[in-house]
Amino acid sequence: MPAHDAKRKLRAILSADVKGYSLLMADNELATIATLKSYRKKMTFLIQQHRGRVVDSPGDNILAEFASAVDAVSCAVKIQEELKERNADLPEDRKMQFRIGINIGDVIQDENRIYGDGVNVAARIEGLAEPGGICISRGVCDHVKKKLKLGFEYLGEHSVKNIDEPVRVYKVLMEPEHAGAMIGEERPRPKQLRFASVVSAVVLIAVAFAVWHFNFRLPPIEPASVEKMAFPLPYKPSIAVLAFENMSEDPQQEYLSDGISEEIITTLSKTDQLFVIARNSTFTYKGKPVNVKQVAEELGVRYVLEGSVRKSEDRVRITAQLIDAISGHHLWAERYDRDLKDIFAVQDEITMKIVTALQIKLTEGEQIRIWSKKYKNLDILLKAMEVLSLWRRGTKESLIRYGQIGQEIVDMAPESPVGYRVLSWYNWGLFAHGISPRESIAKSFKLVQKALALDESDAHSHGLLSSVYLMMRQHEKSIAEGKKSVKLEPNGAMMHGLLGMTLSFAGRPDEAIGYLNKGIRLDPFPEYWYFLHLSRCYILKGQYEDALIATKKAIHRAPNHIYNHMLLAVTYALLDRQEEAGAAVKKALEIDHSFSVERVSKTAPFKNKADLKLIIDAMRKAGFPE
């Protein structure tokens, strides 16, 4: 279009998209499309009712323009209220929540389309909104704050690609009690005070930078691209804590550096105001040159924490740095030279710095959960770090040693829940691996009850009790405990995965898929069992092609796990692909020649006999021995 033909106008631009759209589509395409069409129709009606015009609606996005910022914000509030009512009638894993961003700016109109920075800024602001929420620019806020009975919370300045100046963003508070409120915005100060503050700040920043650069000599970081991320960037601050590097001369001290990283991940996972990637995924980068850009894009996060640990006798040096991968800037870096006994304080200090840097506002309950100490002394902490390493080895020998250390912890600190939880997992493992008879589950049950009596707030103990109840065929109790664990650790990938496993055996595959997919998003490089349970869910739903895809992903991660090949054979049999089913049976029996229909019939904790019969009949059809 020639420049002199460009039609410019000032407009309020509304941009909206669906949170987690790709996960909804992966779960159930037809249901997602039907819901999207219904919601989009309602949104279009409301936009027109508020004197707006839908400009475009590709995929799950809607772009609209209004002549008035008041109309645009009023429409956005009405949309969120209407969709909230509709979502109330849907299962948790089928709810469709939109994020809305509104900006006011100069746009260029070309036929029915609009272009320009005003549109780009609206899309960027939309990405900062919570699901079911609304964010607006400073210009919009100035136009509506005295005209609408709403409140506003200042979210700071945010950079926008190809825009020189950062954009001041505000969250719209729709609850009646917030009407007229303006939260978080700095009030203007006298000019002399502002000048003095600026001078002081410049001096402090200069000194801090000099010290920081001298101590760390931080290299420049290539910014990550939001467009290239493997997963949609979460609406709340997202972080990946990498495995801290062991800088000690003794490689046996690696459990200490690993343990510190895991403790920070676990602590941060206890608040639902953060999105925290699971240890299983972040540790895949262990021992490799760290490329923060790659980590952020592969895991779909904005912030990355990396560090190192050097232990010498009773002294420890810990370094840590928090990086904003999108801007390529270090938010802070620190070095701690402490006595080994002060390691608790260092972990807490690093965690607090992360929370402060990301502007997380914790409730009192979250503060108690996050900084409550489950270790009574350093020796217990070090042993707890060692057992984590042993469990992940997965051998019979490592499991036996795991149990020995659990007993050592109980002997050292009988008043601590840690040892009882370790011993409970040990007995659960004995049963699960077929090493000892069913009495191990009874022992596991008593031990986890003891752990919970000492610390009712421990998410992992509730997750363990859920797994024990499942093996005892007490499905409703298992589900209840699983939901407690998710509530206590909302960022716990394993907590979501274990609950998904329980729901799959309880005959609730739709709910199970939602929790398993959430676990996979929190752990983008998940262990095989997430896909193993997903496969079972799809089998129960009759979606055998989807089950085949999930099973192959499980085999890719654990090529010698017997149950992966069993479900592969079952899926092929259900698809009437008998030759491939036979090949899968052959592979399963190579792994364990004693594997049989009877073993699965006796051990698989299905609630519904029909679900078990479906699997057993398919096993027989595939060719497994009785």
Side-chain angles (χ1 to χ4, degrees):
M1 179 176 61
H4 64 273
D5 291 336
K7 181 181 178 181
R8 290 185 175 275
K9 56 185 180 181
L10 188 66
R11 285 290 184 268
I13 304 103
L14 181 152
S15 179
D17 80 344
V18 178
K19 175 250 181 181
Y21 180 69
S22 58
L23 289 178
L24 289 170
M25 286 291 285
D27 181 19
N28 191 325
E29 287 186 354
L30 293 178
T32 298
I33 292 171
T35 304
L36 180 61
K37 285 182 177 180
S38 172
Y39 283 23
R40 183 183 287 158
K41 182 178 179 180
K42 183 63 179 179
M43 293 170 73
T44 299
F45 170 77
L46 292 172
I47 289 167
Q48 293 170 348
Q49 193 179 51
H50 286 80
R51 294 168 289 282
R53 178 179 75 91
V54 175
V55 178
D56 199 5
S57 56
D60 65 320
N61 181 261
I62 289 181
L63 183 68
E65 64 170 352
F66 298 79
S68 160
V70 173
D71 283 344
V73 175
S74 298
C75 178
V77 171
K78 189 64 176 176
I79 286 172
Q80 296 296 29
E81 289 174 349
E82 290 279 348
L83 299 191
K84 183 178 180 180
E85 289 184 10
R86 293 191 176 204
N87 278 324
D89 297 329
L90 295 176
E92 192 64 34
D93 61 334
R94 299 303 320 152
K95 295 183 189 302
M96 183 173 288
Q97 295 178 301
F98 278 80
R99 299 175 292 193
I100 298 179
I102 305 174
N103 180 45
I104 189 167
D106 190 66
V107 298
I108 300 171
Q109 182 168 342
D110 179 14
E111 296 181 349
N112 290 323
R113 297 294 186 92
I114 58 175
Y115 304 92
D117 293 343
V119 178
N120 298 336
V121 172
R124 169 65 172 133
I125 293 172
E126 165 219 292
L128 300 172
E130 299 175 352
I134 306 165
C135 281
I136 60 177
S137 65
R138 171 64 181 271
V140 176
C141 187
D142 287 343
H143 276 81
V144 306
K145 62 185 178 183
K146 294 183 179 179
K147 297 181 177 69
L148 297 176
K149 293 181 179 180
L150 298 168
F152 305 92
E153 180 179 357
Y154 179 52
L155 301 182
E157 295 184 340
H158 295 265
S159 299
V160 179
K161 188 176 181 181
N162 298 325
I163 304 296
D164 293 335
E165 297 293 328
V167 177
R168 293 169 70 87
V169 179
Y170 297 77
K171 175 184 176 181
V172 177
L173 306 175
M174 294 175 274
E175 298 80 3
E177 62 268 23
H178 289 138
M182 179 61 74
I183 301 172
E185 189 173 41
E186 293 184 2
R187 297 177 179 176
R189 294 177 290 176
K191 186 180 293 184
Q192 296 89 341
L193 182 58
R194 291 203 304 269
F195 178 76
S197 298
V198 169
V199 171
S200 300
V202 169
V203 172
L204 285 172
I205 290 171
V207 171
F209 180 79
V211 173
W212 190 9
H213 184 74
F214 176 78
N215 281 322
F216 295 99
R217 291 179 173 84
L218 300 174
I221 296 169
E222 183 182 358
S225 168
V226 175
E227 291 75 18
K228 293 181 180 178
M229 287 190 174
F231 303 90
L233 198 62
Y235 67 90
K236 49 189 171 184
S238 49
I239 185 169
V241 179
L242 299 179
F244 278 37
E245 185 178 358
N246 175 30
M247 302 293 288
S248 306
E249 295 180 2
D250 182 6
Q252 296 298 319
Q253 298 297 325
E254 194 161 293
Y255 74 87
L256 180 61
S257 55
D258 287 355
I260 289 173
S261 311
E262 295 194 39
E263 283 298 309
I264 293 171
I265 292 170
T266 300
T267 302
L268 292 174
S269 294
K270 292 179 180 178
T271 172
D272 63 1
Q273 298 186 55
L274 281 172
F275 186 96
V276 186
I277 295 295
R279 177 255 189 223
N280 184 67
S281 288
T282 59
F283 272 51
T284 60
Y285 300 97
K286 183 177 175 180
K288 304 173 184 177
V290 175
N291 182 327
V292 170
K293 175 179 181 292
Q294 177 189 356
V295 171
E297 290 179 353
E298 290 182 348
L299 300 180
V301 295
R302 176 165 188 166
Y303 303 101
V304 176
L305 180 76
E306 59 180 2
S308 65
V309 179
R310 183 188 298 275
K311 179 179 176 291
S312 178
E313 297 182 348
D314 292 330
R315 296 285 294 176
V316 63
R317 168 175 290 179
I318 301 174
T319 66
Q321 53 184 348
L322 181 65
I323 303 158
D324 182 340
I326 294 176
S327 69
H329 296 153
H330 289 79
L331 298 183
W332 58 263
E334 198 71 70
R335 186 175 74 191
Y336 305 87
D337 288 298
R338 304 283 180 85
D339 290 334
L340 187 59
K341 61 181 172 53
D342 294 330
I343 195 170
F344 296 108
V346 174
Q347 288 176 177
D348 277 359
E349 191 168 336
I350 292 172
T351 305
M352 177 59 86
K353 281 184 176 290
I354 294 170
V355 168
T356 302
L358 302 189
Q359 301 180 19
I360 304 302
K361 298 175 183 177
L362 300 175
T363 65
E364 183 178 349
E366 286 174 323
Q367 292 175 17
I368 292 171
R369 288 212 311 271
I370 285 178
W371 282 284
S372 61
K373 297 292 189 297
K374 59 178 176 284
Y375 305 112
K376 298 299 182 182
N377 59 51
L378 179 63
D379 290 335
I380 296 176
L381 172 63
L382 296 178
K383 286 185 179 294
M385 289 178 174
E386 185 177 352
V387 296
L388 286 172
S389 174
L390 287 166
W391 183 265
R392 291 188 174 97
R393 291 180 195 173
T395 65
K396 181 178 178 179
E397 292 74 22
S398 65
L399 180 62
I400 298 301
R401 178 57 184 152
Y402 183 95
Q404 291 172 347
I405 294 180
Q407 188 60 55
E408 290 172 10
I409 295 174
V410 169
D411 292 342
M412 290 171 57
E415 76 287 354
S416 169
V418 178
Y420 301 105
R421 191 180 70 198
V422 171
L423 283 178
S424 180
W425 271 121
Y426 164 67
N427 280 279
W428 187 95
L430 289 177
F431 170 75
H433 289 84
I435 296 174
S436 75
R438 198 171 186 84
E439 290 78 43
S440 295
I441 282 297
K443 291 180 182 178
S444 180
F445 179 66
K446 290 180 180 179
L447 288 162
V448 72
Q449 285 185 312
K450 177 69 173 177
L452 283 168
L454 293 167
D455 183 3
E456 174 63 25
S457 68
D458 182 51
H460 286 259
S461 291
H462 284 287
L464 169 56
L465 181 55
S466 174
S467 300
V468 173
Y469 273 134
L470 179 63
M471 294 300 180
M472 296 167 69
R473 308 296 201 278
Q474 297 185 34
H475 296 87
E476 295 308 314
K477 289 183 178 180
S478 178
I479 292 169
E481 289 299 323
K483 289 186 174 179
K484 285 182 185 178
S485 72
V486 168
K487 185 176 181 179
L488 286 167
E489 195 166 310
N491 281 289
M494 188 175 76
M495 305 300 104
H496 286 83
L498 289 176
L499 179 53
M501 173 187 70
T502 294
L503 289 165
S504 72
F505 280 114
R508 294 159 63 173
D510 289 315
E511 293 175 75
I513 288 170
Y515 281 104
L516 288 164
N517 280 332
K518 179 64 181 294
I520 291 170
R521 178 61 186 96
L522 288 163
D523 189 357
F525 302 149
E527 295 180 72
Y528 76 91
W529 58 271
Y530 288 89
F531 295 107
L532 181 70
H533 300 310
L534 270 179
S535 175
R536 185 188 311 108
C537 291
Y538 288 129
I539 288 172
L540 297 181
K541 286 167 63 67
Q543 298 173 212
Y544 303 138
E545 293 290 350
D546 292 328
L548 187 61
I549 293 171
T551 308
K552 287 182 176 180
K553 288 180 179 179
I555 290 173
H556 177 72
R557 286 161 173 77
N560 293 313
H561 194 284
I562 183 70
Y563 281 94
N564 288 343
H565 293 280
M566 183 272 283
L567 277 188
L568 181 64
V570 164
T571 306
Y572 277 135
L574 292 167
L575 287 167
D576 291 322
R577 293 163 62 172
Q578 195 60 38
E579 184 176 345
E580 291 158 299
V585 171
K586 181 180 178 181
K587 177 63 178 178
L589 295 177
E590 287 176 1
I591 296 170
D592 183 353
H593 68 276
S594 65
F595 193 78
S596 65
V597 171
E598 182 184 16
R599 182 192 297 187
V600 174
S601 181
K602 287 183 176 181
T603 60
F606 283 101
K607 180 180 181 180
N608 300 327
K609 292 182 179 179
D611 293 343
L612 177 60
K613 185 176 186 301
L614 176 66
I615 300 296
I616 294 301
D617 287 349
M619 286 184 69
R620 289 182 173 129
K621 182 178 178 180
F624 279 103
E626 288 295 327

